[in-house]
Amino acid sequence: MRKPAPSATREGPKIRAAALALTAAAALCSAAAFASSHREAPFITGNPKVDGTDLYLFRSYESGRQGFVTVLANYMPFQDPQGGPNYFMFDPNALYEIHIDNNGDAVEDLTLQFRFDNNSKDAALSVGGKQTKIPLVVSGQVDSVNAATLNVRETYSIDLVRGDRRTGTRAAVTRGSGSGTRFDKPVDNIGEKTFPDGYQAYAAQHVHSVTLPGCSTPARVFVGQRKESFYIAVGKTFDLFNLNPLGPETGGNNNDLEAKNVSTIAVELPIACITAGNEPVIGAFTTASVRQARLVDGAPGSGLGKASKEGGPWAQVSRLGMPLVNEVVIGLPDKDRFNASKPKGDGQFIDYVTHPALPALIESLFPSAKAPTNFPRTDLVTAFLKGIAGVNQPSNVVASEMLRLNTSTAVTAPGAQNAMGVAGGDMAGFPNGRRPGDDVVDISLRVAMGALCVLTGENDALKVGCKPSDAPSGGLALTDGVRKTAASYGTAFPYLTTPIPGNFNPAPPAGTMP
Amino acid sequence: MNKPNIRVALAACATALILAGCGGGGGGGSGGGGGGDDRAASDVPDSALRSVQGLVDFMEDVIASMTRNGSEPLALGDVTLPTSETLEPL
């Protein structure tokens, strides 16, 4: 399994020649562009704790860490910071997974499984001679891991499965310093008074060095609340594109997720331990599963986790690879099906790619913005299901939807990153993996409307099966008017920033009663 | 199936339950008590606790035959439902 770590400066010989084709891979995002995957399917809206919202996959750009890949798996969308008293713990009855396909066959080769445990300490106060249990998750200020003042200790375990996620070989991920297999998660950012040393310092104590079975290089793990990293004018977008799609890319509209938090599972993995043979490209996707059977207890006992009993096999209810697929590619009746599906079965959704609804919707709303006319949309199929040849396409790829990263592509330093990714000449950006600052919304909008057909030229240099005349609007600088850069995020693991504190008390929106 | 005093509680995971119709095996409540004092009493039959298939069969039966307004939830007691780390959804 082990390979020498790739050079930080090595690049595929055909990458530059195929640079323009990145938009083809972005084609997946073309359909997938809008709110990544927040409450995107009917069933998952009722199960927010297992709602995967975003997946980031990139070669680490923290100084000295270029031999590693960072994977950020976000769950639980639209978190208001004030959401106490329980805040946003992970579900102890769920299975959260990060899957890696390192040979392009559409089947996971490695899976990291996260299981959570939320243990109440039954903190009580002596009140008039009686011990009365407190109603809060903390009984005082918190400044350390598993502080005595924490009323609920949140911990998790990690298993690494090689092969099929259910039938493969499973082994525990252990602490780097010993044999422990449980890791503490920091309590969410309740507020500034709760954390006298600041939440950032408190949360940083929960970055764990870990040993992956079969890997001699330590990895790193952090699980905890972060500030929501996705950016988009989501309300205006879903309001029948109630915005100027040709307006300013930056500052044109407000980011509707700016005042939200999210829950993140962050891992940093040695490239040598997750790639196979001479194949530098990995595909990744995240899932969440719940037990197939649940009985709700009509008379639950005292304590956490008593309201229901779960049993049966794991049933997958959330799936996320490239951003925004289930959001705006998959039709409404099939969104729950997609969330339960596996990449190897993606042929069942092919019509959504070859005959996408989004461009037609845009044209219906903006008649002058003509949708591409090349059907089937081979430009979207090529990049959406395979990656771009010479950029992030595995040698023996089997068509399937997942986020693909070429681990041999040189890292772009944060200050030099282009939010338009490969389309902006930044080969380390989306769709070659995905970094927090990459503007997947704008990239996806443009590819949906045929940017790839324009880029490939009359001779179809990129071999995507279309030409400029197929996409009259393919050259438009479509945007939702919201743009961030790498400067909005951290430059070290786990890259996503400190969550907004719960004592955040914003003024009410204009026109509402105070 | 004889469930004279069964109280029904429907699970929230209906879409995850691949139901092929009422299977056999499930049901047959223990005649569960209605009092909240006896936490050990359970309406979940042994057949649902011995195997994942038995559990799913029981759940199918509950959904098919006990979904009605006015029913009371099943008493769950202290039972532990069977799980599987390797099976695909049934």
Side-chain angles (χ1 to χ4, degrees):
Chain A
M1 189 74 173
R2 301 192 193 117
K3 299 169 44 222
S7 163
T9 59
R10 179 176 47 175
E11 295 183 85
K14 296 183 180 179
I15 287 177
R16 296 200 184 281
L20 295 178
L22 69 92
T23 48
L28 189 187
C29 30
S30 74
F34 298 133
S36 197
S37 194
H38 296 51
R39 304 184 76 251
E40 85 292 349
F43 180 77
I44 207 64
T45 62
N47 294 271
K49 283 185 180 290
V50 286
D51 185 355
T53 64
D54 279 285
L55 169 63
Y56 301 92
L57 177 71
F58 53 93
R59 199 165 164 189
S60 299
Y61 45 86
E62 177 181 345
S63 178
R65 303 294 291 184
Q66 283 74 29
F68 294 82
V69 163
T70 295
V71 185
L72 307 175
N74 286 354
Y75 292 88
M76 292 189 257
F78 289 101
Q79 291 183 22
D80 284 325
Q82 306 89 346
N86 291 288
Y87 297 95
F88 305 95
M89 302 180 201
F90 281 88
D91 188 347
N93 294 311
L95 176 64
Y96 300 85
E97 296 178 292
I98 296 172
H99 308 280
I100 295 174
D101 170 12
N102 59 21
N103 58 13
D105 66 350
V107 178
E108 66 274 7
D109 299 290
L110 300 167
T111 295
L112 288 167
Q113 298 182 326
F114 291 78
R115 295 291 311 276
F116 291 84
D117 202 6
N118 304 326
N119 286 307
S120 172
K121 298 181 181 180
D122 287 336
L125 294 175
S126 179
V127 181
K130 290 184 178 293
Q131 289 295 308
T132 303
K133 294 180 182 176
I134 69 172
L136 305 176
V137 295
V138 297
S139 58
Q141 293 184 313
V142 176
D143 60 4
S144 61
V145 177
N146 191 24
T149 47
L150 275 181
N151 191 25
V152 178
R153 184 183 185 187
E154 302 169 69
T155 62
Y156 57 96
S157 64
I158 314 168
D159 284 340
L160 174 63
V161 183
R162 297 183 185 276
D164 181 271
R165 71 184 77 173
R166 295 291 170 264
T167 60
T169 302
R170 178 179 292 103
V173 173
T174 58
R175 289 182 173 277
S177 60
S179 60
T181 57
R182 292 214 71 84
F183 306 90
D184 278 272
K185 170 192 171 292
V187 66
D188 289 347
N189 194 353
I190 297 169
E192 293 163 339
K193 185 175 180 179
T194 300
F195 302 99
D197 299 330
Y199 187 79
Q200 181 173 350
Y202 163 71
Q205 298 175 61
H206 299 77
V207 175
H208 303 285
S209 175
V210 301
T211 299
L212 302 174
C215 180
S216 61
T217 304
R220 290 193 289 185
V221 174
F222 170 82
V223 177
Q225 192 182 50
R226 297 285 88 188
K227 185 178 183 299
E228 170 65 74
S229 48
F230 189 64
Y231 56 91
I232 181 176
V234 64
K236 289 189 173 187
T237 298
F238 283 127
D239 184 23
L240 301 179
F241 292 93
N242 187 7
L243 47 76
N244 178 6
L246 295 177
E249 295 174 348
T250 302
N253 292 299
N254 297 320
N255 174 26
D256 286 322
L257 303 179
E258 192 61 28
K260 303 296 183 185
N261 291 328
V262 75
S263 297
T264 300
I265 296 175
V267 296
E268 187 186 49
L269 307 171
I271 292 175
C273 293
I274 60 173
T275 51
N278 295 318
E279 178 58 73
V281 178
I282 59 172
F285 59 103
T286 62
T287 61
S289 302
V290 296
R291 290 296 184 187
Q292 188 174 7
R294 175 183 295 170
L295 286 170
V296 177
D297 197 332
S302 178
L304 297 183
K306 304 294 186 183
S308 64
K309 293 183 184 292
E310 280 71 18
W314 292 114
Q316 181 182 306
V317 296
S318 180
R319 171 189 165 189
L320 176 59
M322 291 280 271
L324 308 162
V325 171
N326 212 15
E327 202 89 358
V328 293
V329 178
I330 306 298
L332 188 60
D334 290 319
K335 291 180 183 293
D336 290 338
R337 284 182 63 220
F338 181 84
N339 269 339
S341 68
K342 299 177 182 179
K344 65 182 180 182
D346 281 345
Q348 63 184 313
F349 304 114
I350 191 65
D351 285 351
Y352 287 118
V353 179
T354 59
H355 297 75
L358 181 62
L361 284 169
I362 292 175
E363 182 176 340
S364 72
L365 296 169
F366 302 94
S368 63
K370 300 301 181 185
T373 56
N374 56 311
F375 294 106
R377 289 288 302 270
T378 53
D379 55 323
L380 304 184
V381 173
T382 299
F384 172 44
L385 299 179
K386 298 182 179 181
I388 302 297
V391 178
N392 64 338
Q393 182 178 111
S395 298
N396 300 301
V397 66
V398 173
S400 57
E401 190 280 295
M402 57 180 76
L403 186 59
R404 291 185 170 88
L405 170 69
N406 188 332
T407 61
S408 67
T409 302
V411 167
T412 301
Q417 290 182 13
N418 189 309
M420 291 301 290
V422 179
D426 182 356
M427 302 308 299
F430 187 72
N432 187 8
R434 179 190 174 193
R435 303 165 303 195
D438 292 339
D439 194 338
V440 298
V441 174
D442 285 5
I443 296 171
S444 301
L445 274 172
R446 299 175 194 190
V447 176
M449 296 305 284
L452 186 61
C453 298
V454 172
L455 290 168
T456 196
E458 285 298 329
N459 296 325
D460 194 12
L462 303 176
K463 295 180 171 43
V464 292
C466 59
K467 54 189 182 298
S469 60
D470 291 326
S473 301
L476 296 178
L478 299 172
T479 180
D480 71 322
V482 180
R483 172 71 56 85
K484 291 195 175 189
T485 68
S488 299
Y489 306 93
T491 57
F493 184 81
Y495 297 92
L496 303 188
T497 55
T498 300
I500 300 168
N503 62 306
F504 173 56
N505 185 238
T512 62
M513 295 295 292
Chain B
M1 187 176 308
N2 184 18
K3 298 184 177 65
N5 294 311
I6 298 298
R7 291 155 296 172
V8 177
L10 272 182
C13 296
T15 61
L17 281 173
I18 303 170
L19 303 181
C22 284
S30 62
D37 295 337
D38 185 357
R39 292 294 306 152
S42 169
D43 292 326
V44 181
D46 289 342
S47 61
L49 303 179
R50 282 194 291 265
S51 70
V52 166
Q53 184 65 60
L55 173 63
V56 173
D57 290 344
F58 170 65
M59 295 296 295
E60 289 181 327
D61 184 54
V62 167
I63 292 172
S65 64
M66 301 177 191
T67 302
R68 55 180 180 266
N69 294 330
S71 299
E72 291 295 324
L74 287 167
L76 303 186
D78 292 329
V79 299
T80 299
L81 300 184
T83 61
S84 171
E85 299 301 313
T86 58
L87 289 177
E88 293 294 326
L90 301 174

